[in-house]
Amino acid sequence: MKRCRIVLIILLLFVAIDLWAISPTKYDYSNVATKIVEGCSTKYDQAKAIYKWLCNNIAYDTDYSIFTADECFEQKKGVCQAYCELFYRLGEPLGLVSTIVKGDSKLRDGSVSEYGHAWLIVEVEGGHIFIDPTWGAGSVNGGVFTRSENDMSWFHVDPHWMIFTHYPKDINHQMLENPIDFELFKAFPGGLKPMLTNLGLDAQAFFNAAVAGNLSIPIFYDFPTADIKILKMPMLKELNIGRIYEFMILKTGSCEIALNNARFVGEDEWSKNGNIRSIRFMPTDENDVVFMMKGENNQYYHLFAYKINPPTTDDWARVEAVAPFSMPELKNIEEYNAKTLKELGVDGHKFLSMYRRGEVNQLPKFYAQIDRLKVKNVPLDRTLMQNSRYEFVIKPLVEGEWVIINNETFYRDWKTNEDGTMSISVVPKEPGVLKIAIKKPDESLYYSTLIYDVK
């Protein structure tokens, strides 16, 4: 019985080894390989050409049944072992020496995948490089494979990036001066990938911080292109409401950048110095702070994001002191629009006090012509009462005839003040509509700016 157990263990060991061994082949890949690397004069360029060919021609096998180079070549799909075997077979007739590395991989959320993974170490001029053609080819979500477009981030990967997501069973395959153990690998944060190099982020600095246990980072997303370099950003997982954070970005291409934290902060609100964009940004909402970039497809996509720490009373006090329009209670106002109120010149602290006293429930209707004036003192609640007196003080930004219109009744008796403002006192006589309007010179129509309901 003991002898049988030993034989069974040996058989199982051979089976396990065979699962990871290079499968035998029935093909001579010389002609295919020669065509793929046509024009390549170095081993490095040959490896890059084969990587690109695999990424562009091999799909991930979502049935998880294709493991060998030959079947992968025939079916044009396979799992990670098949990608690596096919790379090996294509490089073999060229004298390209590659090693298939087996180990564990890490998911975006930082957990270790329950399935093993395979990637490559390839010998080129000057040393060895990491390659993962499987991850370079694309990704699987909900059982559907989506191919990446020209993703070179998994070719020639810095070992300090590689170790955040790939842990080899052979510690020597880490290619690090000081290899780490599996427990430290499990403790590393998820979402750190070599494409972050395209943003100007340094792999070794991230690695050193992670080893020291003081790496705090935002959520990094996969992104198709990166026409920016990050010069300054908060290296934190979470930000605080009411605190100021600095961002400085170098634009290297034709793109637009933005931050979003319930309010979209486009590039027009950033400071400009040549190709450098900078901003001092204060989160004012409990939603994530998201950094976005708009590329050639004219759509914004996320590059990285921060969570918000639960705000304290002191946090909201800081927001109120410098950005009263951002206080969350104001969102209870129907059709609230902080940006428009700022553009009109409304005093934020005064407006917040009015709301807290119950004087504002719904804003007036704002029309496109609001850019033609600033308001110094006007009713800020939509509903006005018939036969009640209201003061209107505005500062016109364009020439024209300004009037208050209550249905068919026109009020034109404005007083011009020394500071350039105009004021008028109005008692609405009829229920219906009251509006501030302007008729520009040489025009016959009055254009509305603010509209109220009279009851």
Side-chain angles (χ1 to χ4, degrees):
M1 180 64 72
K2 184 175 181 180
R3 181 180 178 183
C4 289
R5 287 179 179 173
I6 293 173
V7 172
L8 179 60
I9 291 172
I10 292 173
L11 286 173
L12 290 173
L13 181 61
F14 274 109
V15 170
I17 292 173
D18 187 60
L19 286 174
W20 287 107
I22 302 294
S23 304
T25 180
K26 60 185 177 184
Y27 293 119
D28 179 356
Y29 286 95
S30 299
N31 291 337
V32 177
T34 300
K35 185 175 180 180
I36 290 172
V37 303
E38 186 176 359
C40 298
S41 59
T42 65
K43 297 297 182 187
Y44 185 88
D45 288 340
Q46 290 177 348
K48 182 185 287 186
I50 296 173
Y51 169 89
K52 285 184 175 181
W53 186 88
L54 289 169
C55 290
N56 293 331
N57 292 277
I58 305 300
Y60 191 83
D61 175 24
T62 55
D63 294 326
Y64 310 105
S65 61
I66 298 176
F67 293 86
T68 68
D70 287 2
E71 194 173 4
C72 181
F73 182 69
E74 293 164 355
Q75 301 295 324
K76 293 297 182 286
K77 63 181 180 179
V79 298
C80 57
Q81 178 74 10
Y83 274 91
C84 292
E85 284 204 7
L86 187 51
F87 185 101
Y88 179 93
R89 290 302 181 193
L90 290 169
E92 193 175 30
L94 305 171
L96 194 62
V97 178
S98 56
T99 301
I100 298 179
V101 181
K102 287 81 67 174
D104 293 291
S105 62
K106 180 166 285 194
L107 305 176
R108 177 184 294 281
D109 64 6
S111 63
V112 177
S113 173
E114 60 181 304
Y115 307 104
H117 188 48
W119 57 100
L120 294 147
I121 294 176
V122 182
E123 185 177 343
V124 297
E125 295 82 1
H128 297 79
I129 61 173
F130 277 127
I131 298 175
D132 189 339
T134 313
W135 285 19
S139 59
V140 175
N141 186 14
V144 177
F145 171 73
T146 302
R147 193 179 301 279
S148 297
E149 291 186 20
N150 195 29
D151 183 1
M152 294 302 297
S153 67
W154 291 105
F155 176 81
H156 193 179
V157 183
D158 188 313
H160 297 97
W161 282 134
M162 202 71 169
I163 198 60
F164 279 109
T165 51
H166 294 61
Y167 192 87
K169 294 188 179 300
D170 184 343
I171 196 171
N172 294 312
H173 287 158
Q174 293 183 27
M175 293 204 299
L176 292 172
E177 184 177 348
N178 297 302
I180 66 170
D181 60 29
F182 188 64
E183 291 303 312
L184 183 55
F185 169 74
K186 290 195 296 183
F188 278 1
L192 288 174
K193 296 183 178 181
M195 62 172 57
L196 297 181
T197 296
N198 298 333
L199 299 179
L201 302 178
D202 183 70
Q204 187 157 3
F206 274 63
F207 173 77
N208 292 341
V211 170
N214 57 11
L215 179 61
S216 178
I217 57 170
I219 301 166
F220 287 103
Y221 296 93
D222 294 343
F223 45 86
T225 58
D227 292 332
I228 65 168
K229 298 294 182 184
I230 296 173
L231 304 181
K232 182 182 289 188
M233 64 178 285
M235 280 302 171
L236 298 167
K237 183 178 181 180
E238 298 171 329
L239 304 182
N240 290 327
I241 280 176
R243 300 285 187 182
I244 301 294
Y245 299 94
E246 292 190 45
F247 295 82
M248 185 178 294
I249 307 297
L250 172 65
K251 293 178 60 173
T252 58
S254 57
C255 66
E256 293 182 32
I257 58 175
L259 284 168
N260 192 35
N261 175 230
R263 186 179 80 84
F264 182 86
V265 183
E267 192 172 321
D268 58 330
E269 296 186 53
W270 293 56
S271 297
K272 301 175 178 61
N273 182 9
N275 290 329
I276 294 177
R277 304 291 181 268
S278 59
I279 192 170
R280 288 168 54 83
F281 182 79
M282 183 180 72
T284 59
D285 191 274
E286 294 182 61
N287 289 310
D288 293 354
V289 175
V290 182
F291 181 92
M292 302 179 290
M293 189 179 85
K294 183 168 72 173
E296 295 178 354
N297 59 3
N298 208 34
Q299 293 182 338
Y300 281 97
Y301 51 88
H302 296 182
L303 270 70
F304 53 90
Y306 303 86
K307 296 294 182 183
I308 294 293
N309 283 315
T312 65
T313 301
D314 288 342
D315 290 335
W316 286 122
R318 282 191 293 270
V319 173
E320 181 175 343
V322 298
F325 284 122
S326 297
M327 293 299 289
E329 60 200 278
L330 295 180
K331 295 177 183 178
N332 296 323
I333 300 174
E334 191 174 343
E335 299 183 31
Y336 179 66
N337 191 321
K339 183 178 181 181
T340 298
L341 291 172
K342 290 179 184 178
E343 290 173 350
L344 281 171
V346 175
D347 182 280
H349 292 98
K350 179 181 178 181
F351 181 79
L352 182 60
S353 297
M354 292 174 65
Y355 170 75
R356 289 173 174 172
R357 292 194 301 266
E359 298 173 8
V360 180
N361 297 297
Q362 185 181 19
L363 293 176
K365 292 180 182 178
F366 300 122
Y367 280 72
Q369 286 75 19
I370 61 170
D371 62 352
R372 300 179 178 182
L373 81 163
K374 297 287 186 182
V375 300
K376 297 299 181 180
N377 181 30
V378 301
L380 293 173
D381 188 82
R382 181 178 297 184
T383 301
L384 305 183
M385 302 307 297
Q386 183 182 1
N387 297 319
S388 295
R389 183 173 297 278
Y390 297 95
E391 299 294 328
F392 294 84
V393 182
I394 66 171
K395 185 167 186 177
L397 301 180
V398 296
E399 291 185 6
E401 180 190 352
W402 288 88
V403 296
I404 303 288
I405 306 173
N406 176 208
N407 292 352
E408 301 299 326
T409 303
F410 286 64
Y411 298 87
R412 296 186 174 90
D413 298 329
W414 294 87
K415 176 185 175 183
T416 302
N417 304 305
E418 292 183 359
D419 61 359
T421 61
M422 295 168 52
S423 59
I424 192 172
S425 179
V426 173
V427 178
K429 297 297 184 181
E430 304 172 16
V433 172
L434 182 143
K435 54 190 175 184
I436 307 175
I438 180 177
K439 183 175 71 171
K440 298 186 69 175
D442 302 323
E443 293 187 4
S444 59
L445 297 177
Y446 287 95
Y447 295 94
S448 302
T449 57
L450 281 76
I451 296 183
Y452 302 85
D453 296 329
V454 179
K455 296 183 179 180

